[in-house]
């Protein structure tokens, strides 16, 4: 091992340790030793201290023992330019630095200045940890770049951030260079910051880098099952599983160097743009430990190489970047150039199989006005027809492939997609439009992605895009007929007829705990995946998000619980959901991601429920609009009294069967009533509720807009719910 400079790391560690002692003394003086100390809404105490030493710090006074630990780790301060042949003392100094930084940041939560301030987010809470941390484990995020300091200019900052995003990396930001921070540079360029875009500003001081280390520690504790205090396994887990590295931009101070030494313990190397002593030989990290003097346009690639990361990027020749990192990106009204569908204009998306002669691979046609012919804030109708051919393609696969349009489009930066079938909604951002993004690029994107992910069944793909209103509505009629045919394929099939349901975890990229359990009588809540579709999807990709679920033993037939399904849900929800009922919205209801076509909510005083569909924009009797309700119900949580579901499910024999099914419905918007009318009346007749009469006894926005009005209406109408047991 060649010689390294120890002075910077060791001296920096002493400076930070002193800072920690000072702020701790101040905090204890102000609040007392018994004052509680924590990172808000997190488990695992001080995660770095806890994972490495096993000590559970709960009160300010507990930090005194940590200070002793820091002192015992700290080597004596050394003269400048001291050479040492070993990494050992520098690594110890680094670990002491991390403990000290954790004390400093935690004390800030107690006595201020509050780490959460403006763009600065401070510690990630446990909800974020579960949502995001899992991505490091399942591979949807290959790792994170901890960026310290600032780029020489805003443009360079944006370039570096984009490069990380294109590779699906998270960017954790801390520290400043001469008062300028990387995060503020991005904000200045109008780049959207936050967990959704994977660009996470922790804090403007270098000590805030501890949140990145803490995040890695918590991932190891939560998902790696590493025991607190088992520091060897902890550090190895990080080295082998969390592909992180530090990019140091600007003058590397002693404090930066000490922090870099700290995370070398985790196996995270540092890549710097400046001239600092390198630590090249391998030992702790997979390859080099500190690499310096790297030009900005190579720094991300170099970091990836040094960290030994394998990243697959889809190169699609369109003017915006494409990566799963953009999946969570929102485009607000003020940021959008134009939009399509979403009840503002007619729209649909339809994938169909054609003969091989009818498809010219890669052909993209756009008929009608394009992005550049609408004003900012404008809207257009949109019909997307994807035609595929392939020797192994089957008609049964159509809905499965069609549902991928959602994922593929969201992966393009500046493109946002919501919904499915004929309730889709698309936005294109101003930045994308300025970069020259046009409708044909949606075609190019879909062509590339379908080939990349479904090459086993698809040989050719062509895309037709329509924006002319009459053409869109005409074709939409054809598509709607196909959607109805697809839904009808299952008619008459019951859950009892099959021994196997299917899972769908496609939405875990948005809602990591969410699993749709799809049975013949309960389609996925997005309405786009039926039991048959899941079966087909499993056939296409046996290791994909749709797995067969043998039911196992029935635990409770009324609410619909089976032991093997519960076990599967427990495992795939990351241990969060213990039991799940297929037929109840009260007892262990199914979780909801966010794609539901409808939400059912209990209206307690009426003894019944209301159902609101996504298209209905007005206030509902439960006091919330669909959008607010969606925030409450979605995200992968179990919310007794609320479920997200598809429209088709309303007329299913298993619709909240445990609570009495459609007999409980006391309110629906007229547009929803109208849409499901035919099948609903049939269902009401089967149940001897009186067909059309029963529909008329259900209130809607023309007769009731508050819960009291609903109660008055149904009492007067003699709705049968009044004779049922209360729901709770
Ligand atoms: Fe799958 Fe459910 Fe998401 Fe639909 S809502 S894609 S069924 S997980
Ligand atoms: Zn979803």
């Amino acid at each position: 091992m060649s010689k390294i400079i120890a002075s910077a790391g060791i001296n920096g560690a002493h400076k930070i340790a002193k800072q920690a002692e000072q702020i701790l003394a101040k905090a204890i003086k102000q609040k007392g030793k018994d004052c509680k100390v924590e990172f808000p809404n997190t488990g695992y105490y001080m995660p770095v201290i806890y994972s490495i030493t096993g000590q559970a710090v709960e009160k300010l006074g507990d930090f005194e023992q940590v200070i002793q630990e820091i002192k015992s780790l700290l080597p004596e301060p050394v003269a400048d330019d001291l050479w040492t042949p070993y990494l050992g003392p520098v690594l110890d100094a680094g670990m002491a630095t991390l403990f000290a930084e954790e004390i400093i940041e935690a004390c800030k939560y107690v006595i201020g200045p509050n780490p959460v301030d403006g763009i600065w987010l401070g510690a990630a809470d446990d909800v974020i940890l579960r949502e995001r941390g899992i991505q490091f484990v399942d591979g949807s995020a290959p790792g994170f770049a901890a960026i310290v300091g600032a780029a020489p200019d805003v443009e360079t900052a944006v370039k570096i951030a984009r490069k990380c995003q294109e590779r699906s990396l998270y960017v954790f930001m801390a520290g400043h260079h001469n008062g300028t921070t990387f995060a503020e540079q991005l904000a200045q360029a109008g780049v959207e910051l936050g967990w959704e875009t994977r660009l996470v500003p922790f804090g403007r001081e270098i000590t805030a880098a501890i949140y990145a280390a803490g995040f890695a520690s918590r991932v190891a504790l939560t998902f790696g099952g590493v025991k607190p205090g088992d520091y060897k396994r902890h550090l190895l887990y990080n080295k082998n599983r969390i592909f992180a590295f530090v990019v140091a931009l600007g003058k590397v101070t002693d404090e930066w160097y000490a922090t870099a030494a700290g995370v070398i313990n985790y196996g995270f190397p540092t890549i710097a743009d400046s001239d600092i002593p390198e630590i090249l030989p391998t030992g702790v990290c997979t390859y080099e430990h500190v690499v310096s003097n790297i030009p900005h346009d190579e720094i991300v690639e170099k970091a990836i190489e040094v960290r030994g990361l394998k990243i697959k990027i889809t190169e699609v020749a369109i003017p915006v970047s494409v990566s799963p990192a953009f999946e969570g990106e929102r485009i607000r009204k003020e940021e959008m150039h134009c939009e399509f569908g979403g009840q503002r204009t007619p729209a649909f998306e339809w994938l169909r199989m054609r003969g091989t002669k009818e498809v010219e691979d890669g052909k993209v046609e756009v008929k009608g006005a394009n992005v550049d012919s609408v004003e900012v804030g404008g809207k257009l109708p949109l019909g997307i027809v994807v035609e595929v051919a392939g020797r192994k393609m089957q008609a049964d696969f159509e809905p499965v492939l069609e549902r991928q349009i959602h994922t593929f489009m969201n992966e393009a930066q500046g493109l946002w997609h919501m919904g499915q079938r004929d309730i889709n909604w698309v936005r294109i951002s101003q930045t994308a439009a300025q970069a020259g993004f046009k409708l044909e690029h949606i075609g190019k994107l879909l062509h590339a992605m379908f080939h990349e992910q479904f090459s086993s069944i698809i040989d050719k793909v062509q895309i037709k895009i329509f924006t002319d209103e009459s053409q869109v509505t005409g074709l939409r009629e054809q598509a709607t007929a196909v959607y109805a045919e697809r839904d009808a394929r299952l008619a008459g099939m019951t859950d009892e007829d099959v021994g196997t349901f299917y899972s769908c975890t496609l939405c875990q990229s948005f809602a990591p705990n969410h699993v749709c359990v799809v049975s013949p009588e309960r389609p996925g809540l997005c309405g786009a995946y039926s039991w048959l579709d899941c079966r087909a999807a499993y056939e296409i990709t046996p290791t994909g998000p749709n797995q067969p679920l043998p039911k196992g033993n029935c635990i409770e037939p009324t609410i619909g619980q089976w032991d093997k399904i519960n076990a599967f849900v427990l495992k795939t929800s990351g241990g969060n959901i213990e039991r799940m009922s297929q037929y109840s919205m009260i007892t262990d209801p199914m979780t909801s991601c966010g794609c539901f076509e409808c939400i059912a909510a209990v209206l307690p005083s009426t003894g019944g429920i209301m159902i609101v569909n996504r298209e209905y924009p007005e206030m509902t009797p439960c006091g919330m609009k669909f959008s607010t309700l969606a925030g409450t119900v979605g995200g992968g949580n179990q919310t007794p009294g609320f479920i997200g579901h598809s429209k088709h499910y309303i007329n299913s024999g298993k619709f909240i069967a445990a609570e009495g099914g459609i007999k409980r419905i006391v309110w629906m918007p007229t547009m929803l009533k109208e849409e499901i009318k035919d099948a609903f009346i049939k269902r009401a007749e089967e149940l001897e509720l009186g067909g059309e009469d029963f529909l008329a006894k259900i209130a809607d926005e023309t007769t009731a807009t508050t819960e009291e009005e609903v109660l008055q209406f149904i009492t007067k109408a003699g709705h049968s719910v009044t004779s049922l047991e209360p729901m709770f």
Side-chain angles (χ1 to χ4, degrees):
M1 194 175 273
S2 72
K3 292 177 177 180
I4 58 157
I5 288 190
S7 57
I10 293 173
N11 294 343
H14 277 276
K15 289 184 198 168
I16 290 187
K18 197 162 164 216
Q19 213 184 319
E21 269 189 272
Q22 284 166 348
I23 192 170
L24 178 62
K26 193 169 155 200
I28 289 180
K29 195 167 160 217
Q30 281 184 25
K31 304 277 178 174
K33 284 190 186 184
D34 284 333
C35 174
K36 203 169 124 197
V37 59
E38 61 174 1
F39 294 119
N41 305 317
T42 68
Y44 302 126
Y45 313 99
M46 299 290 117
V48 173
I49 295 167
Y50 186 57
S51 58
I52 303 289
T53 69
Q55 195 199 337
V57 171
E58 291 176 90
K59 301 186 305 260
L60 283 174
D62 298 339
F63 274 141
E64 289 176 338
Q65 199 187 322
V66 183
I67 296 276
Q68 291 316 311
E69 181 76 21
I70 291 172
K71 285 184 172 155
S72 72
L73 278 170
L74 271 182
E76 286 295 306
V78 292
D80 277 359
D81 301 347
L82 173 91
W83 289 87
T84 129
Y86 308 113
L87 262 180
V90 186
L91 291 180
D92 285 350
M95 199 44 97
T97 306
L98 298 187
F99 293 169
E101 289 180 335
E102 206 159 42
I103 295 177
I104 295 167
E105 290 295 318
C107 285
K108 285 190 195 165
Y109 273 100
V110 178
I111 56 168
N114 191 342
V116 184
D117 179 23
I119 60 168
W120 305 108
L121 299 176
D125 67 20
D126 276 351
V127 177
I128 291 173
L129 173 78
R130 274 196 298 273
E131 260 179 41
R132 306 285 162 173
I134 188 84
Q135 299 175 344
F136 293 91
V137 184
D138 71 13
S140 43
F144 67 79
I147 297 190
V148 172
D153 52 67
V154 168
E155 225 179 35
T156 312
V158 173
K159 274 195 193 137
I160 292 175
R162 291 301 185 215
K163 276 194 184 174
C164 292
Q165 280 186 309
E166 278 163 24
R167 288 159 178 81
S168 309
L169 292 162
Y170 276 83
V171 176
F172 292 161
M173 294 165 265
H176 60 86
H177 168 67
N178 290 337
T180 312
T181 67
F182 192 80
E184 284 159 334
Q185 289 179 318
L186 297 183
Q188 203 184 324
V191 174
E192 193 185 339
L193 300 174
W195 285 95
E196 287 77 17
T197 57
R198 304 196 180 193
L199 301 173
V200 184
F202 280 137
R204 49 177 316 120
E205 299 304 326
I206 184 66
T207 49
I210 198 61
Y211 297 122
F215 189 82
S217 286
R218 287 158 67 198
V219 169
L221 292 164
T222 312
F223 303 107
V226 180
K227 297 270 167 308
D230 186 354
Y231 68 90
K232 272 199 188 134
R233 262 200 73 205
H234 181 82
L235 298 174
L236 270 179
Y237 180 90
N238 276 289
K239 179 185 168 184
N240 296 330
R241 299 294 297 265
I242 309 293
F243 286 90
F245 51 85
V246 180
V247 173
L249 301 175
K251 184 182 181 309
V252 175
T253 63
D254 287 357
E255 289 89 336
W256 287 21
Y257 210 89
T259 309
V263 296
I264 287 176
N265 285 289
Y266 283 70
F268 304 163
T270 291
I271 321 299
D273 62 352
S274 62
D275 189 14
I276 55 166
E278 294 194 318
I279 308 181
L280 295 179
T282 63
V284 187
C285 296
T286 311
Y287 300 108
E288 296 87 351
H289 297 84
V290 176
V291 184
S292 58
N293 269 327
I294 305 298
H296 295 110
D297 54 354
E298 290 168 25
I299 206 157
V300 176
E301 287 84 352
K302 184 71 187 171
I304 287 169
E305 175 203 318
V306 170
R307 184 62 182 96
L309 255 176
K310 300 258 174 301
I311 296 177
K312 190 168 124 193
I313 351 170
T314 319
E315 291 284 355
V316 190
I318 59 175
V320 298
S321 310
V322 179
S323 151
F326 299 116
E327 217 174 42
E329 175 197 33
R330 290 156 300 152
I331 297 172
R332 282 187 288 266
K333 212 172 172 161
E334 313 82 70
E335 297 157 358
M336 90 182 182
H337 177 78
C338 59
E339 62 187 329
F340 311 84
Q343 308 319 309
R344 291 152 176 84
T345 61
F348 71 93
E349 58 202 39
W350 176 24
L351 181 138
R352 62 173 167 176
M353 182 176 129
R354 311 292 320 253
T356 182
K357 291 211 184 70
E358 292 158 306
V359 182
E360 185 185 320
D361 187 46
K363 186 169 166 199
V364 176
E365 279 175 272
V366 178
K367 297 213 171 113
N370 211 319
V371 176
D372 52 355
S373 58
V374 267
E375 305 263 303
V376 170
K379 54 187 182 224
L380 280 175
L382 181 69
I384 302 177
V385 180
V386 180
E387 297 182 317
V388 302
R391 265 161 301 156
K392 299 227 179 84
M393 182 65 196
Q394 305 174 16
D396 278 357
F397 297 163
E398 286 177 350
V400 182
L401 299 181
E402 187 180 286
R403 184 72 181 119
Q404 310 299 320
I405 295 174
H406 173 66
T407 314
F408 294 163
M409 286 181 62
N410 275 322
E411 290 189 3
Q413 190 191 6
L415 190 58
W416 177 85
H417 181 281
M418 185 79 177
Q420 59 277 326
R421 291 187 170 184
D422 56 351
I423 57 164
N424 57 347
W425 181 12
V426 174
R427 276 181 172 171
I428 294 173
S429 77
Q430 287 172 23
T431 326
Q434 280 153 15
F437 190 90
K438 295 219 234 154
L439 291 171
E440 43 271 41
H441 298 123
I442 294 182
K444 288 220 164 95
L445 170 75
L446 294 177
H447 171 256
M449 299 297 266
F450 274 115
H451 269 299
E452 198 200 66
Q453 304 215 355
F454 294 96
S455 53
S456 58
I457 48 168
I458 296 178
D459 301 328
K460 294 173 169 185
V461 187
Q462 73 185 14
I463 291 99
K464 296 174 181 160
I465 296 176
F466 304 89
T467 58
D468 174 67
E469 175 139 6
S470 62
Q471 247 178 336
V472 171
T473 44
L475 282 161
R476 187 177 59 176
E477 223 167 281
Q478 284 183 42
T480 333
V482 175
Y483 304 146
E485 267 168 44
R486 289 180 190 164
D487 292 343
R489 284 181 304 161
L490 271 157
M493 198 170 172
T494 69
D495 285 5
E496 289 76 19
D497 293 341
V498 300
T500 303
F501 294 167
Y502 283 90
S503 63
C504 188
T505 49
L506 208 64
C507 286
Q508 289 204 341
S509 53
F510 294 93
N513 300 335
H514 174 70
V515 190
C516 271
V517 173
V518 181
S519 62
E521 290 180 274
R522 184 169 182 177
L525 54 83
C526 58
Y529 263 27
S530 71
W531 183 84
L532 284 173
D533 300 333
C534 291
R535 193 178 65 174
Y538 171 66
E539 224 180 290
I540 301 169
T541 325
T543 53
N546 303 100
Q547 293 296 313
L549 298 181
K551 291 191 258 185
N553 297 311
C554 186
I555 298 171
E556 230 295 333
T558 334
I559 56 173
Q561 280 196 17
W562 294 267
D563 58 356
K564 284 200 174 157
I565 291 182
N566 276 347
F568 179 90
V569 171
L570 180 66
K571 200 175 104 221
T572 21
S573 66
N576 283 288
I577 311 295
E578 270 179 48
R579 287 180 303 271
M580 206 254 0
S581 308
Q582 194 71 353
Y583 312 135
S584 174
M585 64 183 286
I586 307 287
T587 317
D588 314 321
M590 196 182 288
T591 56
S592 297
C593 45
C595 311
F596 30 70
E597 288 184 299
C598 305
I599 298 172
V602 170
L603 293 177
S605 69
T606 69
I609 63 162
M610 54 157 268
I611 301 178
V612 57
N613 53 316
R614 185 175 292 275
E615 300 90 319
Y616 184 73
E618 306 300 326
M619 186 49 90
T620 75
C622 76
M624 284 183 265
K625 290 184 182 176
F626 181 92
S627 51
T628 320
L629 257 175
T632 318
V633 180
N637 300 317
Q638 238 172 0
T639 325
F642 299 86
I643 47 167
H645 59 85
S646 70
K647 289 176 180 166
H648 204 66
Y649 180 50
I650 304 174
N651 294 320
S652 152
K654 294 295 192 304
F655 177 70
I656 59 162
E659 282 83 42
I662 58 168
K663 276 183 237 166
R664 289 284 180 188
I665 305 174
V666 294
W667 187 90
M668 282 192 281
T670 40
M671 66 198 291
L672 180 60
K673 280 185 171 177
E674 199 49 44
E675 193 177 338
I676 61 167
K677 196 170 164 193
D678 298 344
F680 190 85
I681 291 174
K682 231 169 89 203
R683 179 83 195 119
E685 275 162 3
E686 277 164 27
L687 295 175
E688 296 180 356
L689 294 168
E692 200 146 355
D693 267 5
F694 178 64
L695 190 60
K697 288 177 187 165
I698 297 173
D700 55 44
E701 75 277 16
T702 64
T703 48
T705 53
T706 64
E707 190 166 333
E708 295 82 70
E709 285 171 7
V710 174
L711 182 59
Q712 280 168 15
F713 179 86
I714 57 160
T715 315
K716 216 160 134 205
H719 190 300
S720 55
V721 76
T722 42
S723 61
L724 296 179
E725 297 274 307
M727 288 185 81
F728 283 101

